[in-house]
Amino acid sequence: MNKALYHAVYGNNETPTSDAIKELAADVLVLPDGIKEALFMHYQLGRSAAEIAAATGNTQPLVERRLQSGIGLLQVFTGVDRQ
C-alpha cells in the first residue's frame, strides 16, 4: 500500500515510516476481497469509484461504500479515533 492510503486512514500529513506502511498493508490483507480490491484500485492505481465500478461490474455506490468501509475497518484495526 502507499502513503495516500496511510493518510486516508490516519487523517494526517505525517510521513509514514516503512514499518507503518508494512503494518497497514498486512491489515489490508485480512479485509474482504471486494473491499481489498476497491482500496487497491483506488489508492494504488489511482482509479476513481466510477472507473472501479466499470472495471469490476459493480455499481458506483457499492464501490464508494466499499472504500468507506475499508477505511473504517482499517481505522478500527489500527486504533485510530474516528470522532
Side-chain angles (χ1 to χ4, degrees):
M1 288 288 113
N2 62 23
K3 292 178 185 178
L5 179 58
Y6 177 89
H7 296 302
V9 171
Y10 287 94
N12 64 40
N13 289 323
E14 296 175 12
T15 301
T17 64
S18 60
D19 286 342
I21 295 288
K22 288 177 187 174
E23 289 174 20
L24 187 58
D27 289 337
V28 168
L29 291 176
V30 301
L31 294 172
D33 289 341
I35 292 174
K36 189 174 11 186
E37 177 182 50
L39 289 173
F40 176 80
M41 292 180 79
H42 184 69
Y43 288 101
Q44 198 68 30
L45 302 179
R47 304 272 173 84
S48 69
E51 291 171 323
I52 296 167
T56 61
N58 294 304
T59 65
Q60 184 173 339
L62 175 61
V63 170
E64 290 167 351
R65 280 193 305 275
R66 286 179 174 174
L67 290 169
Q68 290 172 347
S69 295
I71 295 301
L73 287 168
L74 291 170
Q75 288 173 331
V76 169
F77 294 167
T78 57
V80 172
D81 185 7
R82 299 186 307 167
Q83 293 182 7

